Amino acid sequence: LVRSTGRVLKLSQSGISPQQRFTFFDQVHTTGMDIPQHSGARAVVTLGKDMVWRDYAQGAFRMRGIGKGQTVSLLLIPEVQGLMCRQLAKAGSSRRPLTPAECAAGPRSTITGAAGERQPLRLEDVAAWLVVNSMKSETTQYDQLCTQNLANVWRRNAFKELMGGYHHFRVKEDDARKFILDSLGHAFLSAKLGTCSRQAFEGKMVALYFGAESEGGTQAFTQAVGMQLTQALRAAHAHFSDTLEVIFVSSSGSAEWFTDEFAEMPWLAVPFSHTARRKLLRETFDIQAVDQHAVVLLDDEGKTITRDGARLIQLAAAWEAADKAHEARLKDSQHEMEMRDREKKVLAREERRIKPLVTVAEAAVGRLSKLDAAGVAEIAAFGQVPQLPPEVRQVVGRASAALARALESVRGLTQDQQDQLAAVKAPSAGLRALGEVLCQLWSLKPDWTTFLHKVLAGPNLAARVARVDSVPPSAARHVGKYAAAAGGVEGSHASAAALTREGGAAAGALHAWAVALSSFAEAQDEARNASDKASASSVMRLACQCVCDMMGLDAVDDIEALVFVAATAEQAARDAAAAGEELDDAAAAVEDEAEGDSGSLERVQSKLMRMRQFAGILERDIRSSSTNVAPLLDQARTYGTAINPAMASHFESVCRNPGVIEGDEVARDAFAFALGAIDAADPATAKDKDDGAAAKEPLGVRVKALVGFVNERINPAQFGVFVQRLQELAGEPDQQRMRMEEWPRLVQLSTALNHATNGQAGRNTMQTYPAVQALANWAKSLGSYLEAYGELVRKKGQLDAVRAEAAAAQKALDEDLSQAISAESASLPAEVDPLALRAVRKQLRNRGQTGVPRAALIAALQRTLNAEDDAADLLKHLPVARRALQVISDPGRLGEVPANHILPRQLRKLTSEVRSGDLLPHSVAAGRRLREAMVEATKRQRAVDKARRVAEKERREKEAAQKEADKLLREEAEAKRKAEEKARREAEGKEAEEDEDEDEDEDE
């Protein structure tokens, strides 16, 4: 605890060494509290009159190092010392009680012993006294416990006697029922019938519903059973309406809540105005909680069945709902079993129908596996890039070169050349057609105004032109007509010269670029048509497309291009395997290298984007500030007009009271602002200000000289000059006459003047002196304008700096990008754009698709003619395409494709492709041949099955005959055994009879 501040700190943060710490323990905290002390610490223990040995030991042992450097001192007050000696004497000690003088002398005084000598107190005496106190405390506790036990004897007997005679005191059942019925009363409310009597529920059970505004303690039970009490009561009332009636007893003190709740209840209610009845019913059934629902059930005679009817009714309703849900689940389960049986029958029928088709499919796969090398090569040629005719390649090359030259011309345009074209307000028909065509290339409204504001005036025209690598379908017809009217690339020089004379170099460059772009698009279309003609036959293409659709490429539009990319990826994998490295490692190395090259460019681009965003924010702020500055200047002009020669008398009255100018805060700041503004606008005063001559003169003297106050009067000519100078200051829109270094001081004076005029003293001054009021209003408005205009100037300077920095960053970025593109273009085919390669690689990296070979990227851009999005879409399906290529290269592997992996949409597309187009006749013929082969195979299989059945029958007949013969042999052997056994028994009987006869003869 810090003594000076009263703040509590941790010991480790207090900065106090252990030797300087002081710890205080009260008696409560001597047990269980352990605070480490210094090894040489000393403790002081005090004893009270009721102290026992245990408490003393707990307090002393807060010092954990007793006997190891730590010590304990014992302090006794004289009263405790005297008490100790007296009690020890009573206990048989040789010490006598102390006299008052000896008690006053302190605990260390000596005591006369038995021999009359003086003896000091010893620790043994303290310990003996503490033990005596402990014995006294335990004796007192024992006496109290005995007293309590004795009291419980008669209490227990009295309670037993009372419980045994309870039947003598309890209320008779008839009286209790009568009291309950009387408490219910005779008047009730019904939402349907209005007022009704007790006859409405004669002979019925009654449920007294004590409703509350909140559920209170019943909320947990309601959540457990999943049934609201009101919902359960409605169900019970509807189900047992002939034998049960519910009576609502409101526990709320709000009549509006009672009216709203009871309006939706189908049962009776005790009127809200019968407060005494409602209170009596709550007291009768001991309903204490007013925020808890309760239900009391009564039989038809008024006898209480239970007071916990709410739980019973909720449980019953929940059980009924659960029972209904169980029955519904049983019905659903039975229905599902029936549906399953029907599906089993359908499945068996479909299996019988599919079995012949499986045979046909196996036969087709068998024929595919037996194809010769020429047939496999014809199938494997699907997706390969056909060789274009030389003349087509020349046309594409010339168009590409012309487009590159036109693009370089556009990139070489300066801002002045673009501004020269933008200055044309009434263009000719040719120039207007150029603007409309360029607008259509960016999907804009085709007119000259849109071209100026959206195309030409936008930032970085050359970069936006470079990103246009194809003609949109919506603009293809208009661009083609424009290029045809210009005579193509070769004939466009004359029209370009005419446009250059009218709109400058920018018009000629954009015209050449538009014509070259149209020619390049036409060359691409011609190359695409030639490629289609040189590719595989339509039947083979359709067949291979069906295979690819079955493998999961049904969503790909250009399957041939995708298969070509997959073939390129497979070739790259084989090359990597031949070089002894994994394809994924090689692709990762290429990606890491490209990512490292583009990392710095992306950082520069990010910085450039942030600077452009900040420049946009500054531009918006400047426009907003410009809008806000104009009203402030108009206000300053208005207040400046109010100061005119007619106010000379008012200024004269102010000058005649010098105390107002220098003593009043409003007048002082207003005149100081006027002097500072006039001095800032006068170059001649700058030197005087530097010399400090003006600052030495009092403010009143300078003000009088300013307004022309001489000989207790104002000179009209000098005052007119003062008024003119004030109005000139408020009339300059840019305030170029006032030195900008003086603006902060003037703004500070204006802010102080605003605070001064808001006070009561300032308002009184302005009411007394109209000249001060007019000058203060002018100074405040002009100061606000200077503050806003100064902020505007600062933002404009900041905007210029940001634009300059952005231009420098853009220049550096263009140079770095040009170097990177040049380095990467050296290893790329001529028709592949390095920027497109970087963009596609970035899209794949953002999508999480890694390990794509660089050769596959190049192939995708070649097939899509550098269309970045199309190439990325192709590469998205590359893994599936590689599996499809393996099947196309080895048609016998079609049998390994699981039929259940084909999705319904793939099957529908496959069926439609097989049944339409050029593939249909071939499909029909192949199906006929396969069916004939299936019929022959079925006949052979039937013959084999018949022979197998005949052989099986003969085998079973032989086995039956053998079994019959074995049975006859067993029966003959059993009969023979029985006959032998019978003969043996007869022989033994005869021998026994003969022996008996011999015995009888011997006896006789």
Side-chain angles (χ1 to χ4, degrees), residues 599-620:
S600 58
L601 297 178
E602 290 180 356
R603 287 190 293 272
V604 175
Q605 288 176 341
S606 177
K607 179 181 178 181
L608 182 61
M609 180 184 67
R610 289 195 298 271
M611 287 192 293
R612 288 174 178 172
Q613 291 175 350
F614 183 59
I617 294 173
L618 287 177
E619 289 177 354
R620 290 193 295 270

PDB file of all heavy atoms in Angstrom, residues 599-620:
ATOM      1  N   GLY A 599       7.257 -10.716 -57.395  1.00  0.00           N
ATOM      2  CA  GLY A 599       7.012 -10.201 -56.046  1.00  0.00           C
ATOM      3  C   GLY A 599       7.288  -8.719 -55.943  1.00  0.00           C
ATOM      4  O   GLY A 599       6.482  -7.960 -55.409  1.00  0.00           O
ATOM      5  N   SER A 600       8.456  -8.291 -56.450  1.00  0.00           N
ATOM      6  CA  SER A 600       8.793  -6.867 -56.379  1.00  0.00           C
ATOM      7  C   SER A 600       7.835  -6.034 -57.217  1.00  0.00           C
ATOM      8  O   SER A 600       7.434  -4.936 -56.818  1.00  0.00           O
ATOM      9  CB  SER A 600      10.228  -6.656 -56.852  1.00  0.00           C
ATOM     10  OG  SER A 600      10.383  -7.139 -58.185  1.00  0.00           O
ATOM     11  N   LEU A 601       7.442  -6.556 -58.411  1.00  0.00           N
ATOM     12  CA  LEU A 601       6.502  -5.821 -59.251  1.00  0.00           C
ATOM     13  C   LEU A 601       5.153  -5.666 -58.555  1.00  0.00           C
ATOM     14  O   LEU A 601       4.523  -4.600 -58.615  1.00  0.00           O
ATOM     15  CB  LEU A 601       6.324  -6.544 -60.588  1.00  0.00           C
ATOM     16  CG  LEU A 601       7.574  -6.646 -61.466  1.00  0.00           C
ATOM     17  CD1 LEU A 601       7.262  -7.427 -62.727  1.00  0.00           C
ATOM     18  CD2 LEU A 601       8.090  -5.255 -61.819  1.00  0.00           C
ATOM     19  N   GLU A 602       4.704  -6.730 -57.876  1.00  0.00           N
ATOM     20  CA  GLU A 602       3.422  -6.642 -57.187  1.00  0.00           C
ATOM     21  C   GLU A 602       3.484  -5.648 -56.038  1.00  0.00           C
ATOM     22  O   GLU A 602       2.516  -4.926 -55.778  1.00  0.00           O
ATOM     23  CB  GLU A 602       3.022  -8.020 -56.678  1.00  0.00           C
ATOM     24  CG  GLU A 602       2.641  -8.994 -57.782  1.00  0.00           C
ATOM     25  CD  GLU A 602       2.262 -10.342 -57.226  1.00  0.00           C
ATOM     26  OE1 GLU A 602       2.374 -10.528 -56.008  1.00  0.00           O
ATOM     27  OE2 GLU A 602       1.848 -11.206 -58.024  1.00  0.00           O
ATOM     28  N   ARG A 603       4.631  -5.602 -55.343  1.00  0.00           N
ATOM     29  CA  ARG A 603       4.755  -4.621 -54.268  1.00  0.00           C
ATOM     30  C   ARG A 603       4.708  -3.194 -54.808  1.00  0.00           C
ATOM     31  O   ARG A 603       4.065  -2.312 -54.226  1.00  0.00           O
ATOM     32  CB  ARG A 603       6.043  -4.861 -53.489  1.00  0.00           C
ATOM     33  CG  ARG A 603       5.990  -6.098 -52.597  1.00  0.00           C
ATOM     34  CD  ARG A 603       7.195  -6.138 -51.666  1.00  0.00           C
ATOM     35  NE  ARG A 603       8.445  -6.338 -52.388  1.00  0.00           N
ATOM     36  CZ  ARG A 603       8.954  -7.534 -52.681  1.00  0.00           C
ATOM     37  NH1 ARG A 603       8.316  -8.628 -52.315  1.00  0.00           N
ATOM     38  NH2 ARG A 603      10.099  -7.639 -53.331  1.00  0.00           N
ATOM     39  N   VAL A 604       5.383  -2.975 -55.942  1.00  0.00           N
ATOM     40  CA  VAL A 604       5.341  -1.640 -56.539  1.00  0.00           C
ATOM     41  C   VAL A 604       3.937  -1.314 -57.020  1.00  0.00           C
ATOM     42  O   VAL A 604       3.438  -0.195 -56.849  1.00  0.00           O
ATOM     43  CB  VAL A 604       6.367  -1.548 -57.689  1.00  0.00           C
ATOM     44  CG1 VAL A 604       6.263  -0.209 -58.393  1.00  0.00           C
ATOM     45  CG2 VAL A 604       7.778  -1.732 -57.158  1.00  0.00           C
ATOM     46  N   GLN A 605       3.263  -2.310 -57.622  1.00  0.00           N
ATOM     47  CA  GLN A 605       1.891  -2.084 -58.065  1.00  0.00           C
ATOM     48  C   GLN A 605       0.970  -1.788 -56.889  1.00  0.00           C
ATOM     49  O   GLN A 605       0.082  -0.929 -56.969  1.00  0.00           O
ATOM     50  CB  GLN A 605       1.387  -3.304 -58.829  1.00  0.00           C
ATOM     51  CG  GLN A 605       2.009  -3.466 -60.205  1.00  0.00           C
ATOM     52  CD  GLN A 605       1.566  -4.742 -60.883  1.00  0.00           C
ATOM     53  OE1 GLN A 605       1.087  -5.665 -60.237  1.00  0.00           O
ATOM     54  NE2 GLN A 605       1.741  -4.813 -62.194  1.00  0.00           N
ATOM     55  N   SER A 606       1.165  -2.499 -55.776  1.00  0.00           N
ATOM     56  CA  SER A 606       0.349  -2.244 -54.593  1.00  0.00           C
ATOM     57  C   SER A 606       0.583  -0.827 -54.067  1.00  0.00           C
ATOM     58  O   SER A 606      -0.374  -0.120 -53.714  1.00  0.00           O
ATOM     59  CB  SER A 606       0.666  -3.274 -53.506  1.00  0.00           C
ATOM     60  OG  SER A 606      -0.062  -3.008 -52.330  1.00  0.00           O
ATOM     61  N   LYS A 607       1.854  -0.414 -54.022  1.00  0.00           N
ATOM     62  CA  LYS A 607       2.150   0.942 -53.576  1.00  0.00           C
ATOM     63  C   LYS A 607       1.538   1.971 -54.515  1.00  0.00           C
ATOM     64  O   LYS A 607       0.955   2.986 -54.072  1.00  0.00           O
ATOM     65  CB  LYS A 607       3.664   1.127 -53.504  1.00  0.00           C
ATOM     66  CG  LYS A 607       4.092   2.520 -53.072  1.00  0.00           C
ATOM     67  CD  LYS A 607       5.612   2.649 -53.048  1.00  0.00           C
ATOM     68  CE  LYS A 607       6.038   4.066 -52.664  1.00  0.00           C
ATOM     69  NZ  LYS A 607       7.512   4.201 -52.674  1.00  0.00           N
ATOM     70  N   LEU A 608       1.636   1.709 -55.825  1.00  0.00           N
ATOM     71  CA  LEU A 608       1.057   2.627 -56.798  1.00  0.00           C
ATOM     72  C   LEU A 608      -0.464   2.701 -56.652  1.00  0.00           C
ATOM     73  O   LEU A 608      -1.057   3.788 -56.729  1.00  0.00           O
ATOM     74  CB  LEU A 608       1.444   2.178 -58.210  1.00  0.00           C
ATOM     75  CG  LEU A 608       0.970   3.062 -59.376  1.00  0.00           C
ATOM     76  CD1 LEU A 608       1.549   4.455 -59.241  1.00  0.00           C
ATOM     77  CD2 LEU A 608       1.381   2.438 -60.709  1.00  0.00           C
ATOM     78  N   MET A 609      -1.100   1.558 -56.392  1.00  0.00           N
ATOM     79  CA  MET A 609      -2.549   1.552 -56.216  1.00  0.00           C
ATOM     80  C   MET A 609      -2.943   2.354 -54.979  1.00  0.00           C
ATOM     81  O   MET A 609      -3.913   3.124 -54.993  1.00  0.00           O
ATOM     82  CB  MET A 609      -3.047   0.112 -56.105  1.00  0.00           C
ATOM     83  CG  MET A 609      -4.558  -0.002 -55.926  1.00  0.00           C
ATOM     84  SD  MET A 609      -5.084  -1.698 -55.686  1.00  0.00           S
ATOM     85  CE  MET A 609      -4.337  -2.032 -54.086  1.00  0.00           C
ATOM     86  N   ARG A 610      -2.168   2.190 -53.880  1.00  0.00           N
ATOM     87  CA  ARG A 610      -2.481   2.950 -52.667  1.00  0.00           C
ATOM     88  C   ARG A 610      -2.307   4.451 -52.890  1.00  0.00           C
ATOM     89  O   ARG A 610      -3.113   5.253 -52.398  1.00  0.00           O
ATOM     90  CB  ARG A 610      -1.587   2.476 -51.520  1.00  0.00           C
ATOM     91  CG  ARG A 610      -1.928   1.093 -51.003  1.00  0.00           C
ATOM     92  CD  ARG A 610      -1.265   0.839 -49.657  1.00  0.00           C
ATOM     93  NE  ARG A 610       0.189   0.889 -49.752  1.00  0.00           N
ATOM     94  CZ  ARG A 610       0.971  -0.147 -50.025  1.00  0.00           C
ATOM     95  NH1 ARG A 610       0.420  -1.344 -50.217  1.00  0.00           N
ATOM     96  NH2 ARG A 610       2.281  -0.010 -50.084  1.00  0.00           N
ATOM     97  N   MET A 611      -1.273   4.834 -53.641  1.00  0.00           N
ATOM     98  CA  MET A 611      -1.090   6.255 -53.917  1.00  0.00           C
ATOM     99  C   MET A 611      -2.236   6.802 -54.766  1.00  0.00           C
ATOM    100  O   MET A 611      -2.707   7.925 -54.537  1.00  0.00           O
ATOM    101  CB  MET A 611       0.253   6.477 -54.621  1.00  0.00           C
ATOM    102  CG  MET A 611       1.463   6.321 -53.700  1.00  0.00           C
ATOM    103  SD  MET A 611       3.003   6.904 -54.428  1.00  0.00           S
ATOM    104  CE  MET A 611       3.211   5.705 -55.745  1.00  0.00           C
ATOM    105  N   ARG A 612      -2.704   6.009 -55.733  1.00  0.00           N
ATOM    106  CA  ARG A 612      -3.834   6.468 -56.541  1.00  0.00           C
ATOM    107  C   ARG A 612      -5.110   6.559 -55.703  1.00  0.00           C
ATOM    108  O   ARG A 612      -5.908   7.493 -55.883  1.00  0.00           O
ATOM    109  CB  ARG A 612      -4.034   5.518 -57.717  1.00  0.00           C
ATOM    110  CG  ARG A 612      -2.942   5.645 -58.784  1.00  0.00           C
ATOM    111  CD  ARG A 612      -3.102   4.593 -59.864  1.00  0.00           C
ATOM    112  NE  ARG A 612      -2.089   4.755 -60.905  1.00  0.00           N
ATOM    113  CZ  ARG A 612      -1.884   3.883 -61.890  1.00  0.00           C
ATOM    114  NH1 ARG A 612      -2.634   2.780 -61.951  1.00  0.00           N
ATOM    115  NH2 ARG A 612      -0.957   4.104 -62.791  1.00  0.00           N
ATOM    116  N   GLN A 613      -5.286   5.598 -54.817  1.00  0.00           N
ATOM    117  CA  GLN A 613      -6.446   5.688 -53.938  1.00  0.00           C
ATOM    118  C   GLN A 613      -6.375   6.927 -53.057  1.00  0.00           C
ATOM    119  O   GLN A 613      -7.375   7.631 -52.865  1.00  0.00           O
ATOM    120  CB  GLN A 613      -6.540   4.433 -53.073  1.00  0.00           C
ATOM    121  CG  GLN A 613      -6.906   3.166 -53.847  1.00  0.00           C
ATOM    122  CD  GLN A 613      -6.881   1.940 -52.976  1.00  0.00           C
ATOM    123  OE1 GLN A 613      -6.413   1.970 -51.841  1.00  0.00           O
ATOM    124  NE2 GLN A 613      -7.386   0.833 -53.500  1.00  0.00           N
ATOM    125  N   PHE A 614      -5.180   7.206 -52.518  1.00  0.00           N
ATOM    126  CA  PHE A 614      -5.025   8.388 -51.679  1.00  0.00           C
ATOM    127  C   PHE A 614      -5.240   9.662 -52.497  1.00  0.00           C
ATOM    128  O   PHE A 614      -5.838  10.636 -52.012  1.00  0.00           O
ATOM    129  CB  PHE A 614      -3.637   8.383 -51.049  1.00  0.00           C
ATOM    130  CG  PHE A 614      -3.381   9.527 -50.110  1.00  0.00           C
ATOM    131  CD1 PHE A 614      -4.186   9.712 -48.998  1.00  0.00           C
ATOM    132  CD2 PHE A 614      -2.355  10.416 -50.343  1.00  0.00           C
ATOM    133  CE1 PHE A 614      -3.962  10.758 -48.119  1.00  0.00           C
ATOM    134  CE2 PHE A 614      -2.121  11.471 -49.471  1.00  0.00           C
ATOM    135  CZ  PHE A 614      -2.936  11.641 -48.359  1.00  0.00           C
ATOM    136  N   ALA A 615      -4.756   9.663 -53.756  1.00  0.00           N
ATOM    137  CA  ALA A 615      -4.983  10.818 -54.617  1.00  0.00           C
ATOM    138  C   ALA A 615      -6.470  11.022 -54.882  1.00  0.00           C
ATOM    139  O   ALA A 615      -6.975  12.152 -54.900  1.00  0.00           O
ATOM    140  CB  ALA A 615      -4.218  10.657 -55.933  1.00  0.00           C
ATOM    141  N   GLY A 616      -7.197   9.915 -55.075  1.00  0.00           N
ATOM    142  CA  GLY A 616      -8.644  10.034 -55.256  1.00  0.00           C
ATOM    143  C   GLY A 616      -9.328  10.605 -54.034  1.00  0.00           C
ATOM    144  O   GLY A 616     -10.253  11.428 -54.132  1.00  0.00           O
ATOM    145  N   ILE A 617      -8.882  10.168 -52.848  1.00  0.00           N
ATOM    146  CA  ILE A 617      -9.463  10.712 -51.609  1.00  0.00           C
ATOM    147  C   ILE A 617      -9.186  12.207 -51.507  1.00  0.00           C
ATOM    148  O   ILE A 617     -10.064  13.005 -51.135  1.00  0.00           O
ATOM    149  CB  ILE A 617      -8.899   9.960 -50.394  1.00  0.00           C
ATOM    150  CG1 ILE A 617      -9.362   8.493 -50.423  1.00  0.00           C
ATOM    151  CG2 ILE A 617      -9.339  10.618 -49.094  1.00  0.00           C
ATOM    152  CD1 ILE A 617      -8.728   7.641 -49.354  1.00  0.00           C
ATOM    153  N   LEU A 618      -7.934  12.604 -51.850  1.00  0.00           N
ATOM    154  CA  LEU A 618      -7.610  14.028 -51.801  1.00  0.00           C
ATOM    155  C   LEU A 618      -8.432  14.819 -52.804  1.00  0.00           C
ATOM    156  O   LEU A 618      -8.880  15.943 -52.504  1.00  0.00           O
ATOM    157  CB  LEU A 618      -6.114  14.216 -52.082  1.00  0.00           C
ATOM    158  CG  LEU A 618      -5.149  13.801 -50.959  1.00  0.00           C
ATOM    159  CD1 LEU A 618      -3.709  13.985 -51.415  1.00  0.00           C
ATOM    160  CD2 LEU A 618      -5.403  14.644 -49.713  1.00  0.00           C
ATOM    161  N   GLU A 619      -8.655  14.253 -53.994  1.00  0.00           N
ATOM    162  CA  GLU A 619      -9.470  14.959 -54.987  1.00  0.00           C
ATOM    163  C   GLU A 619     -10.895  15.170 -54.483  1.00  0.00           C
ATOM    164  O   GLU A 619     -11.477  16.250 -54.642  1.00  0.00           O
ATOM    165  CB  GLU A 619      -9.472  14.176 -56.302  1.00  0.00           C
ATOM    166  CG  GLU A 619      -8.142  14.216 -57.037  1.00  0.00           C
ATOM    167  CD  GLU A 619      -8.170  13.358 -58.291  1.00  0.00           C
ATOM    168  OE1 GLU A 619      -9.192  12.660 -58.495  1.00  0.00           O
ATOM    169  OE2 GLU A 619      -7.198  13.374 -59.051  1.00  0.00           O
ATOM    170  N   ARG A 620     -11.460  14.129 -53.846  1.00  0.00           N
ATOM    171  CA  ARG A 620     -12.810  14.295 -53.306  1.00  0.00           C
ATOM    172  C   ARG A 620     -12.829  15.328 -52.182  1.00  0.00           C
ATOM    173  O   ARG A 620     -13.753  16.142 -52.082  1.00  0.00           O
ATOM    174  CB  ARG A 620     -13.327  12.948 -52.808  1.00  0.00           C
ATOM    175  CG  ARG A 620     -13.632  11.964 -53.927  1.00  0.00           C
ATOM    176  CD  ARG A 620     -14.421  10.779 -53.400  1.00  0.00           C
ATOM    177  NE  ARG A 620     -13.641   9.994 -52.464  1.00  0.00           N
ATOM    178  CZ  ARG A 620     -12.863   8.970 -52.802  1.00  0.00           C
ATOM    179  NH1 ARG A 620     -12.735   8.628 -54.083  1.00  0.00           N
ATOM    180  NH2 ARG A 620     -12.191   8.291 -51.890  1.00  0.00           N
TER     181      ARG A 620
END
